[in-house]
Amino acid sequence: MALPDYDIITVGGGLGGAALAKTMAENGVRVLVLERETEFKDRVRGEGLMPWGAAEAGDLGLLAPLLARCGHEHRWFDTYRSGDRAGHRDLIATTPKHTPGLGFFHPAMQETVLAAAREAGAEVRRGARVLSVRPGLRPTLDVEQDGRIDALAARLVVIADGRRSASRTQAGFVVHRDPDATLIAGVLVGNCPAPDDAVHLAVNPDAGHIAILFPQGHGRVRAYFVSTTQWEHRLSGPSDMPAFIARSIEAGMPAEFYAGLEVLGPLATFEGAPFWVDHPYRDGVAVIGDAAAASDPSHGQGLSLALRDVRVLRDQLLSSPDWEAAGHAYAAAHDRYYGVLHTYEGWFTDLFLRTGPEAAARRARALPLQAKDRTRRLDVLVSGPDATLDETARRRFFGEE
């Protein structure tokens, strides 16, 4: 049998695909990155790494270049109620690997990581559109670029082209999706006076609203407003900015953080329902990042999850010459740690975003107990999905014991 064209072909050159290409090329693996966009564009999406994601970036050799070229460090995690700061957490001092959070402009991050992949020896083709993916002992793809269609083969194809991945469906993976739980509105703003060394989170449980600010430095911030789907109007466009600001303040964020903002990008709203692929490996094809599982975006876990996928897949591929077994080992690990994120996000939504008498009674029981004993709160979203979320953890979280 002829040798494949490459050891690994990644479909997608965003964070997941480019990070995997970098780390595998550094280990002598022949990698091709296929990226459809010739220029990365701004749109509303996640632009922050939680401390556990920053630790994964460090393990992959990406934290330093991100900080040097586009990243902005978040040492603090501040929480607000009714406009007043209720918490001021030192992330470096209190997280397992003593890492800060990280914010960045998404297109700049993509360019940084893709450049790192190229510098490590990976081949990168931009403006390349994948038409089909065929799993098998020698998985193949049909790729269109500059009016020409080529068939390429690899030892392993890695699908990393995001939550709307067409390649994932072509490869035969089935996507599961929870019912809609939240709507997330986001916009990039400048001239924001909020302290830029912290992530800012305000929660108004009785209204089912959350406001979040992820600073990128020099007054530039990605701002979000999150609500349950009982709120039907989807904020979009310049005319809805006053409503976005008003609702964010109602969620509990200080009003002065929104004074004199400059709108730098589009305001748009999208659904926050998690979706995922069970066991994201089959017949020479692995799925990573948002293509494998998208955590509810209101929890800001997607980029961290993509880097965990990359690190785990890398470790499995480098530890065994049997890449079929390595792919299955990655998929089994992914199911476990994504399962922890998925479970906790469901618990968080039930406790902080549900409205009505039953939800209010749940909070009246659980929140005073969490205030007295911080271990009841769990720390999955900041410290990572290595916790055990069993029935005992659930009962403690909801104050049922």
Side-chain angles (χ1 to χ4, degrees):
M1 179 181 294
L3 292 174
D5 301 293
Y6 299 91
D7 295 315
I8 296 174
I9 297 175
T10 73
V11 181
L15 178 62
L20 182 71
K22 171 195 175 294
T23 192
M24 294 303 293
E26 288 173 337
N27 285 278
V29 176
R30 295 173 302 146
V31 186
L32 170 65
V33 179
L34 300 173
E35 171 52 48
R36 183 168 183 170
E37 294 186 15
T38 56
E39 179 183 357
F40 293 121
K41 301 177 180 63
D42 179 35
R43 57 182 184 269
V44 177
R45 53 191 164 181
E47 290 188 309
L49 286 173
M50 290 298 184
W52 70 275
E56 297 287 2
D59 187 275
L60 295 166
L62 286 170
L63 187 57
L66 285 171
L67 283 170
R69 300 177 190 178
C70 64
H72 180 74
E73 185 176 299
H74 301 145
R75 172 152 193 163
W76 306 95
F77 193 98
D78 288 356
T79 53
Y80 300 84
R81 294 286 175 87
S82 303
D84 295 322
R85 192 171 73 180
H88 185 56
R89 177 177 177 178
D90 186 337
L91 295 173
I92 294 176
T94 63
T95 51
K97 296 192 176 181
H98 305 290
T99 47
L102 196 67
F104 37 64
F105 183 52
H106 202 109
M109 175 275 291
Q110 290 174 293
E111 294 291 356
T112 296
V113 181
L114 193 57
R118 188 183 289 110
E119 291 163 6
E123 180 182 343
V124 176
R125 298 188 193 180
R126 301 190 73 161
R129 186 165 67 99
V130 175
L131 304 178
S132 64
V133 178
R134 293 179 293 278
L137 183 61
R138 190 170 179 264
T140 57
L141 310 91
D142 291 324
V143 182
E144 180 184 35
Q145 187 177 24
D146 298 327
R148 173 179 170 177
I149 298 176
D150 291 320
L152 299 174
R155 188 177 174 191
L156 174 69
V157 169
V158 178
I159 295 173
D161 55 347
R163 63 184 61 232
R164 295 180 178 85
S165 172
S167 300
R168 174 182 58 199
T169 302
Q170 294 164 2
F173 291 94
V174 176
V175 179
H176 305 276
R177 190 178 192 276
D178 282 346
D180 289 339
T182 56
L183 292 174
I184 299 98
V187 63
L188 183 66
V189 298
N191 198 35
C192 179
D196 70 359
D197 58 352
V199 174
H200 305 274
L201 171 70
V203 181
N204 182 342
D206 293 331
H209 292 168
I210 297 175
I212 311 169
L213 299 175
F214 277 103
Q216 299 176 4
H218 307 290
R220 184 163 158 150
V221 169
R222 182 67 71 174
Y224 300 95
F225 171 74
V226 184
S227 177
T228 62
T229 52
Q230 297 170 21
W231 168 58
E232 295 181 355
H233 178 63
R234 300 191 176 202
L235 299 170
S236 178
S239 63
D240 278 338
M241 272 303 297
F244 176 89
I245 292 172
R247 288 183 177 275
S248 298
I249 295 170
E250 290 169 4
M253 201 70 83
E256 58 266 28
F257 288 178
Y258 298 87
L261 292 183
E262 177 186 4
V263 179
L264 302 178
L267 169 62
T269 298
F270 52 98
E271 293 86 2
F275 60 88
W276 67 96
V277 169
D278 286 331
H279 200 77
Y281 176 82
R282 63 182 295 266
D283 299 327
V285 179
V287 189
I288 66 172
D290 277 357
S295 66
D296 183 331
S298 68
H299 295 91
Q301 304 298 298
L303 297 175
S304 299
L305 180 60
L307 291 177
R308 170 66 65 94
D309 287 350
V310 169
R311 195 260 301 168
V312 171
L313 181 57
R314 177 203 65 181
D315 290 351
Q316 293 298 331
L317 294 173
L318 295 180
S319 67
S320 172
D322 184 351
W323 279 16
E324 179 74 5
H328 285 297
Y330 152 71
H334 172 92
D335 285 351
R336 191 207 66 77
Y337 56 75
Y338 175 68
V340 171
L341 286 177
H342 190 190
T343 296
Y344 180 74
E345 288 169 354
W347 293 358
F348 182 96
T349 298
D350 286 344
L351 187 58
F352 290 103
L353 286 174
R354 304 296 183 198
T355 56
E358 183 179 345
R362 186 185 301 125
R363 285 190 287 275
R365 179 180 65 241
L367 296 185
L369 293 172
Q370 289 188 9
K372 293 179 181 178
D373 181 359
R374 289 182 170 273
T375 65
R376 288 179 177 268
R377 296 180 182 179
L378 306 175
D379 200 35
V380 172
L381 301 183
V382 169
S383 295
D386 297 315
T388 298
L389 298 192
D390 55 14
E391 179 61 15
T392 298
R394 189 198 69 79
R395 291 181 62 81
R396 294 188 77 245
F397 181 78
F398 287 108
E400 295 176 0
E401 60 86 22

